[in-house]
Amino acid sequence: MQRPLISVQNRLLSALPPEDYRLVAPHLTHVDLERGRLLYEPGDRVDTVYFPHDGVISLMTLMENGAAIESATIGREGALGLMGAVAPRQSLSRAIVQTPTRAARIGAGQLHEAWEKSAKIREMVDMHTEALFGHAVQSVACNALHSVEARFCRWLLTCHDRIATDTVALTQEFLADMLGVQRTTVTAVARTLQEKGYIRYRRGVVDIISREGLEAVSCECYDVVRRNYERLLPQHHAVERTRN
């Protein structure tokens, strides 16, 4: 579904000065991205840039045997395909929509024209690239050193920051791919967190009951990545949450 862009909630776009935003505004359209939508595969030409207003897009690293694991996520603090504004690029990862996402979309070529004219847009691209690189580097360490339970909590907290509800629709298959584990492991971890009263886990749905509990179990990587984004990128506005 596509319609003209009405409001700006993405942190990168909302932080642009009016004169710089006017360079991109005529080319932005609003799209509703359904869960599971594939945006890029490794090797695809990055010809479109997405600025999420809410929701989560996952970057998945794929192995030759078909195994995959999440290396980073993108929400309203960032953009997917932003380096395509600098020069033609090929995607290094699979980009897939993990939760229903509203986003602003622009052609990479159109954003490149604005990038050439605006120092603020060039700075935005550089800072976002550094933040995303830091996110991916932290994910490498986290996937190697921390427990599945801690990583699951980290992912739920990151997702919670980017959506306006306490309910996250996620299939076992998605969760297993994100964490690089078997589905049975996902079930066991979710059951443990549910017994502690931190979440309610139903088939394909996770309800966050205690954010404080998830923070207590999560590894330090959640705060490391969050602080890095806040240091490098414009501060986000508070998201009003609906309690279910």
Side-chain angles (χ1 to χ4, degrees):
M1 182 178 180
Q2 175 177 327
R3 59 183 181 272
L5 185 65
I6 297 173
S7 62
V8 175
Q9 298 172 25
N10 177 273
R11 276 173 54 185
L12 298 182
L13 292 179
S14 63
L16 286 176
E19 62 272 20
D20 299 277
Y21 180 70
R22 282 193 289 268
L23 295 174
V24 300
H27 308 294
L28 293 169
T29 56
H30 181 90
V31 290
D32 294 322
L33 304 173
E34 68 277 8
R35 184 181 63 172
R37 180 166 174 178
L38 185 64
L39 300 178
Y40 286 114
E41 285 280 24
D44 286 352
R45 180 183 174 88
V46 178
D47 54 9
T48 305
V49 181
Y50 297 87
F51 293 88
H53 296 312
D54 57 24
V56 180
I57 298 172
S58 287
L59 301 183
M60 309 293 296
T61 299
L62 307 183
M63 300 292 106
E64 291 184 354
N65 65 359
I69 192 168
E70 186 180 82
S71 55
T73 57
I74 294 172
R76 64 197 304 268
E77 78 295 330
L80 173 66
L82 197 55
M83 282 301 294
V86 180
R89 290 285 192 273
Q90 290 184 333
S91 178
L92 300 176
S93 307
R94 171 180 289 170
I96 188 168
V97 180
Q98 291 285 20
T99 68
T101 297
R102 299 179 306 117
R105 181 172 69 182
I106 186 173
Q110 294 167 323
L111 188 57
H112 176 71
E113 293 178 4
W115 177 86
E116 288 186 314
K117 298 174 182 176
S118 167
K120 283 293 185 181
I121 292 177
R122 293 194 293 274
E123 180 183 12
M124 174 187 75
V125 173
D126 289 344
M127 292 298 98
H128 181 266
T129 299
E130 183 176 344
L132 189 60
F133 177 75
H135 189 165
V137 168
Q138 194 71 31
S139 292
V140 170
C142 187
N143 290 334
L145 300 175
H146 294 149
S147 70
V148 176
E149 185 178 57
R151 292 191 287 124
F152 187 18
C153 292
R154 174 178 66 89
W155 198 94
L156 287 177
L157 290 169
T158 300
C159 184
H160 198 220
D161 289 342
R162 294 167 171 171
I163 61 178
T165 176
D166 295 330
T167 298
V168 185
L170 292 169
T171 66
Q172 276 189 330
E173 181 180 7
F174 271 8
L175 285 167
D177 283 346
M178 285 186 292
L179 298 170
V181 297
Q182 299 295 318
R183 296 184 194 182
T184 53
T185 303
V186 171
T187 301
V189 170
R191 185 181 298 117
T192 298
L193 294 175
Q194 181 167 267
E195 290 171 352
K196 292 178 179 179
Y198 300 160
I199 67 171
R200 181 168 57 249
Y201 183 66
R202 298 168 280 153
R203 185 174 181 84
V205 176
V206 177
D207 296 315
I208 296 175
I209 306 301
S210 172
R211 182 179 173 93
E212 293 76 13
L214 296 178
E215 290 174 346
V217 176
S218 176
C219 54
E220 71 266 26
C221 298
Y222 166 69
D223 275 331
V224 170
V225 171
R226 179 180 57 81
R227 288 197 303 267
N228 197 42
Y229 273 105
E230 290 178 350
R231 177 178 63 87
L232 291 168
L233 300 177
Q235 296 297 306
H236 66 282
H237 303 293
V239 178
E240 181 179 350
R241 302 191 184 283
T242 58
R243 298 293 172 184
N244 298 317

